[in-house]
Amino acid sequence: ALAVTKALAAELRAECDTLVVLGIGGSALGTKALLGAVEPTRRVVVADNVDPWTFGKLLDGLDLTRTVFNVISKSGETAETMAQFLIVRDLLLRQLGAVDYAKHIVITTDSDAGALRQIVHDEGFRALEVPAGVGGRFSVLTAVGLFPAAFAGMRIDDLLAGAAWMDSRCLDAKLWRNPAHLLGALLYLADTRHQQNVVVMMPYSDRLHPFASWFAPLWAESLGKAETVDGAPAHVGQTPLTAVGATDQHSLLQLFAEGPVDKVVMMLRLEDHGRELPIPAAYADLDSLGYLGGAGLGQLLNREQHATELALVQQQRPVITLSLPQLNPFTLGQLFYLFEVATVFAAALYHVNPFDQPGVHASYRLTYGQMGRSGFETERAAVEAWVARKRSEY
Ligand code: PA5
């Protein structure tokens, strides 16, 4: 599968300048994290919402003859992604014609099931597989994330090598030497023993901010469950929140430091930001500026991380800091894998299934009903009654 993914990416790099990912949730956020972290050499855009303003503007600005769309959906029926697909397919058909349009679509979906797989068979689109048993939020190291990453020019072998290296560390049976088990256990205990039911992921790096957005659904959808695996009532889960240092020191930090004692702040620190910007020395006579001269911007950022960590600890607020020597595909692969294993380990401690998300289905069904999908007439009536009730009450 890896060879197929690489070959297709290489072929399309020769034909196209831009790859647009159409997907949502786990089918999009891993790619956003990859693109945010490592400088792409080819343009990849992730369209992960159905806001007509942003999606319309994106489409308006594309040269379709040099663009390929990667439709990603494990289930092959997610309403948002299917709607985007229908719009794009129609546009390509009208602008490029019935012979060429199919060359501009690559579908990543389940190998057997779902409407998209059926469409691949019927229309002959090029396709990649989401491996059986791998759900969206755990799929970044499959074709879901690897194909856009390879198109972007990323060294995906290094990414996988990083994940494999972390895997070897996560096999250690001793909790203290197993980083994923230790992390999962610490967060689980913080939540269940100390009522720290919010985990804030706060990278001190803009390049890792999308990684925090990838982590949020991993933690939320995997652990937020009504029932244990035995069917007993559970209603467990720790709420993930994303923040970025130093920006959110001027936004959320006040709450973290003095608000309810219900949070663990998990900082990601980059020892080497990959570049440094020296701060010129000037205004030596002004105490509030003069001290900055001669330092670097990355140095300031990292010192702020130490300062904020200590300030929170002084307020008796728990902080976990993960330090990366550098941000590159190898360390990023480690990070993805670490959090995936930590999540599965925490799920075992909570005694819940990390791989399903039954709580989101009601919303999907009510959307299908309103959009007129057959079989969802009861849901349509329920929404109509709800909207009428709101209108009559206000
Ligand atoms: O992690 C998950 O399973 C979800 O976030 C899904 O990725 C998201 O709902 C999109 O699903 P699909 O890939 O089936 O379109």
Side-chain angles (χ1 to χ4, degrees):
L2 184 59
V4 173
T5 300
K6 282 184 184 172
L8 186 55
E11 191 181 323
L12 286 164
R13 272 173 71 90
E15 294 167 13
C16 296
D17 304 321
T18 302
L19 179 118
V20 179
V21 171
L22 308 179
I24 198 163
S27 288
L29 291 168
T31 300
K32 283 183 137 181
L34 286 162
L35 295 170
V38 184
E39 192 77 47
T41 57
R42 193 59 62 91
R43 183 174 180 228
V44 177
V45 184
V46 179
D48 64 346
N49 203 355
V50 285
D51 185 320
W53 182 268
T54 36
F55 194 55
K57 271 183 70 123
L58 170 67
L59 295 179
D60 292 346
L62 295 172
D63 172 359
L64 293 181
T65 61
R66 303 284 302 166
T67 301
V68 59
F69 294 88
N70 183 200
V71 187
I72 307 181
S73 176
K74 164 81 175 170
S75 62
E77 65 162 31
T78 300
E80 297 88 345
T81 309
M82 295 308 103
Q84 290 175 321
F85 166 63
L86 291 171
I87 290 171
V88 162
R89 178 181 171 276
D90 178 69
L91 193 65
L92 289 170
L93 265 171
R94 282 189 287 108
Q95 295 206 7
L96 305 182
V99 175
D100 280 348
Y101 86 102
K103 291 184 202 148
H104 294 263
I105 293 179
V106 172
I107 293 187
T108 307
T109 191
D110 191 86
S111 55
D112 298 314
L116 271 184
R117 184 52 64 181
Q118 181 65 43
I119 289 168
V120 168
H121 291 318
D122 295 348
E123 284 183 62
F125 294 122
R126 288 178 278 194
L128 296 165
E129 292 180 6
V130 187
V134 180
R137 57 191 177 274
F138 290 94
S139 69
V140 60
L141 299 174
T142 72
V144 169
L146 296 180
F147 172 65
F151 182 91
M154 204 174 291
R155 298 190 308 270
I156 61 174
D157 288 329
D158 291 3
L159 199 63
L160 294 174
W165 186 81
M166 182 54 73
D167 181 45
S168 68
R169 292 200 57 193
C170 295
L171 294 173
D172 201 316
K174 284 258 185 304
L175 184 83
W176 293 108
R177 289 203 305 249
N178 184 319
H181 291 185
L182 190 56
L183 185 59
L186 281 172
L187 292 177
Y188 166 78
L189 290 173
D191 178 23
T192 56
R193 302 280 165 84
H194 300 281
Q195 293 76 49
Q196 280 138 8
N197 51 39
V198 177
V199 54
V200 182
M201 184 177 273
M202 187 169 184
Y204 273 71
S205 157
D206 285 342
R207 290 191 294 152
L208 281 168
H209 201 183
F211 181 86
S213 301
W214 168 82
F215 166 73
L218 181 73
W219 204 246
E221 288 191 320
S222 303
L223 304 180
K225 298 291 153 76
E227 291 184 351
T228 66
V229 284
D230 307 321
H235 297 291
V236 293
Q238 193 180 37
T239 305
L241 188 67
T242 65
V244 68
T247 308
D248 285 320
Q249 291 179 191
H250 300 266
S251 158
L252 300 170
L253 180 60
Q254 170 62 30
L255 175 75
F256 301 166
E258 293 189 355
V261 192
D262 61 353
K263 296 174 194 65
V264 185
V265 177
M266 190 162 52
M267 296 182 172
L268 305 181
R269 175 185 167 91
L270 264 190
E271 298 304 337
D272 174 356
H273 289 272
R275 85 179 270 188
E276 185 53 293
L277 278 189
I279 306 171
Y283 303 109
D285 52 330
L286 292 180
D287 285 350
S288 54
L289 267 82
Y291 74 98
L292 291 166
L297 220 48
Q299 205 174 26
L300 172 63
L301 187 57
N302 283 5
R303 287 178 178 170
E304 294 205 33
Q305 186 275 323
H306 274 156
T308 309
E309 180 185 88
L310 176 60
L312 287 170
V313 169
Q314 285 171 341
Q315 298 272 2
Q316 316 289 318
R317 310 287 160 144
V319 182
I320 298 173
T321 300
L322 276 74
S323 172
L324 279 75
Q326 287 178 347
L327 187 54
N328 54 43
F330 186 71
T331 54
L332 192 59
Q334 291 177 44
L335 213 52
F336 278 126
Y337 197 82
L338 170 71
F339 279 97
E340 288 187 15
V341 179
T343 302
V344 174
F345 187 75
L349 297 174
Y350 282 107
H351 215 46
V352 297
N353 178 359
F355 303 118
D356 65 1
Q357 52 282 329
V360 301
H361 294 152
S363 151
Y364 297 174
R365 295 175 65 87
L366 292 166
T367 302
Y368 296 152
Q370 288 174 87
M371 296 300 286
R373 182 170 168 179
S374 91
F376 296 88
E377 292 73 15
T378 313
E379 284 82 358
R380 180 190 185 109
V383 179
E384 283 172 359
W386 170 248
V387 173
R389 190 178 134 195
K390 285 203 303 175
R391 288 209 177 111
S392 70
E393 284 176 1
Y394 299 106

